[in-house]
Structures are given as structure tokens and as C-alpha cells.
Amino acid sequence: MRNPGTTRYGHCNVICDMLAAAYTERSGSMFKLTKRSYPIAALLPILLLTSCGGESGVPGVPEFVTIATGGTGGVYYPIGGAMGSMLASEIEGVQSGTAETTGGSVENLKLLGDERTTIAMAMNDAVYNAVNGEGDFKEPQNVCTIGVMYPNVLQVVTTEATGIKSFQDLAGKRVSVGDAGSATELMFNNVVTTLGMSFEDFGEAQHLPFDGQTTAIRNGQLDVGAWVVAPGASSIQDLASSEDIKVVPLDEESLNKVTEKYPYYIATELEAATYDGQEQAVPVAATWNSLLMSTNTSQEFVGSVTRAVHENVDALASGHPAGGEIAPENITDAVAPVCPGSMAYFKEAGVEIPEELRPS
């Protein structure tokens, strides 16, 4: 994750601290203006306004938009980059939109709850915990949904050389469970424990980002990596370009156990030929991805973002094909309430929002 100091609000804190240091010098427990600080004192109001201003020239619209995504080897990041460029083009007052690399859904929701990012991408299992104050969240987060994008698929990847054919075969193996605190780790853990196992059953459980998993498997330092991403992830494609990969399947009984315990998980298939050498479809578990904003954000701006992301699908697909799957009707698969500012768009689109998803 980029240091908070690299965001607009972080720049504000850094600049203000620098100004304070130049502006004053300590005298006991008091601060006093010194002669050498006079020039900076004269510039202080201007610097504060230009560096720390909260909005653009349009009321309620931030000049700089940040989008919390995931690792560079996943799907969130390229979609977030395309989204940032699109928002800067489509919404008056937004000068730039930046995709921020993060540890994934859980971190994204915490950043959004603390209002340290403008938009967050997150998987619905993590969103469910965030709005209910469960799991990694000590209290409910003030987040709401502006759209539902595409299903993320749990892809547990190994090579044919390991001989691994089922989840039960993971026992005693070197397994990366995803970035620490990521939604990959969360979903993988939920599935593994539902099947009567735990990470402790692995010979070694590591926390590697997607690109790191690819490198470690290729170098023989890891047997298995876990990805919870859209099909066709670049880091798995990269691995398949040099190795005979195998996506570990979930049998029907296992899938039934998982979907019965967790209503936000669904049973699906990874289509044949998604990756080089993958000749057959693979039964897997999946969950939808949501786009979220803070309930404390200007809801007029939230409405503008909602409309922009749904009416510029081609722009999102330019980042990754999965970005083109966002559609108004997907909103009924949300698990966090719809943002108040988004309601008008979905009504106009002819989508009936379920009562449990309406803003309170």
C-alpha cells in the first residue's frame, strides 16, 4: 500500500508539519514566531489552501480520487487504473484518479472506513464482515455500495509435478494463502475450515502477493498458491506460460458445504482454456466483487461516480475484460446497503432495490 503521505491528505499533513517546523521554534512548552520564519509565515495561508484544500472547484467533488485496489498481479489494479482515468474525464472537478496498490479487500474496506481512500473494491465476504463488524473488523464500517462488478473465483493453483489433485492433498505442502489480511486469505481460510482442515495442516503456510506466488512456484520454493480473482489473472497466465499448471477443483459435496455455510459464496466453473494447458472446466467457489464508497462522502458526488462507472463500461474493460461485467442489475447481489446517492441512478435504470439493501 502506498504510504498515506502520498495521498492528497497525506501531502497536507507533511506540508503542514514542515511549515510548523519552519514557522516556529520551541521555547519551553510554548511556540514563538522567529525572524527567519517571517517569509514562510507570509506564505502560510496560500500554501495551506493550495496543498490542503479539501475539494476541487466543484462543491462536494474531490480534486484527487484514490481507488483502493489490490496487488499489481491481480485484476482490481488494472480496472482501478482505467476507472481513475475515466472518472477524471467524466466528472467535472476531478483532476486525477489513481489506483492504489493494497493488500486487498480487507485493507481496502478499512481504508474506506477511515476515509483514507475515495473508492474501494472488495469481495462480498469481506464486505459482509465490514458492515456487520465481524472478522477483521472490530466495529461496523460506514461504507455503502455503488455497484457490483463480477464474481471473483477461488483459484488454488499448483503444477502437475506436485501430484496434487484435491484440497485434501494440500496437507503437508508449502502453500501461500494470499497476502496477510487479504480477501484471498479470508475466502481460502473459510473454504479450508469448512472442509475440516486448517492452515496449520499445511507443511508451511506463507503470505505472498500474487506475483510473489508465481515466482515462488516457478522457482520450486512453493507448491501451491491461492488466488481469489477474476478468471484470466495475469499472474496465473504468467505461470502457465512456463509451467504445466493445475487448478485444484472442489468436488460437488465440498461446494455444497461451502455455499450452505456462507450465503455470499456461489458454486461455478472456471471455463476450459482460461489458462494455457487447462483443457477442462474446473468446479470452483466464487463470490461477487463490490464497488463501495463512504457514507460520509457527498452523496451527490457518489451519484455521479455511480452513473459514470455504469455508463462507461468499455473504459473499465480496457483495464481488464472483467471490468466490462459491471451492470445495474448486479446490484441485487450486494451485501452492503446501496449508497443513498446511488439510488436515483438505479431507479432510472429500472432496477428494484431489495428492501434489505435500501439505505436506512
Side-chain angles (χ1 to χ4, degrees), residues 132-197:
N132 289 287
E134 298 177 3
D136 293 296
F137 303 90
K138 296 181 180 179
E139 58 185 13
Q141 305 296 298
N142 295 320
V143 302
C144 53
T145 308
I146 66 168
V148 175
M149 298 189 291
Y150 59 90
N152 254 13
V153 177
L154 173 59
Q155 299 165 74
V156 178
V157 181
T158 185
T159 63
E160 292 288 354
T162 66
I164 295 171
K165 300 185 184 303
S166 69
F167 268 63
Q168 286 67 32
D169 292 337
L170 300 181
K173 303 298 184 182
R174 298 168 298 173
V175 182
S176 172
V177 301
D179 254 340
S182 68
T184 291
E185 181 189 31
L186 173 64
M187 184 175 184
F188 192 31
N189 182 63
N190 285 346
V191 170
V192 166
T193 55
T194 300
L195 301 183
M197 304 168 64

Side-chain angles (χ1 to χ4, degrees), residues 55 59-61 293-303:
E55 295 181 354
V61 176
M293 295 182 72
S294 170
T295 55
N296 296 325
T297 299
S298 162
Q299 291 303 302
E300 184 175 353
F301 174 58
V302 168

